[in-house]
Amino acid sequence: MTRTLALVQWTLRPDRDDDAPPLTHRFRCLTLTDDDSECGAVSEPHTDPVDAQAWTFRHLRDHPEHTSYAEVIERPWVMWRGGRA
């Protein structure tokens, strides 16, 4: 069996094509519980960061001691194949 391989340049870039998945925002609660583990509650993903932020206020209303959060942003990326290296 014989195989011929060529070096090819690849470029990684954010996927902004019309059919790309949307950039999404969510928040997760970082507050430590009595056993020193994170609360772990997580919002639904939202394309509008303000909608994701609103979840933190609802979570705080239900858990007044939960005051620490992290934003999780999911940004789609794509690899583009270029010419030979």
Side-chain angles (χ1 to χ4, degrees), residues 7-32:
L7 295 177
V8 178
Q9 291 182 342
W10 288 90
T11 302
L12 177 64
R13 69 165 178 79
D15 191 349
R16 295 188 181 103
D17 293 341
D18 291 340
D19 62 345
L23 183 143
T24 59
H25 306 261
R26 67 173 66 199
F27 278 82
R28 64 185 179 94
C29 182
L30 300 176
T31 301
L32 297 179

Side-chain angles (χ1 to χ4, degrees), residues 21-52:
L23 183 143
T24 59
H25 306 261
R26 67 173 66 199
F27 278 82
R28 64 185 179 94
C29 182
L30 300 176
T31 301
L32 297 179
T33 61
D34 292 336
D35 65 355
D36 281 341
S37 62
E38 285 184 9
C39 165
V42 179
S43 73
E44 293 296 318
H46 296 275
T47 56
D48 184 342
V50 173
D51 292 337

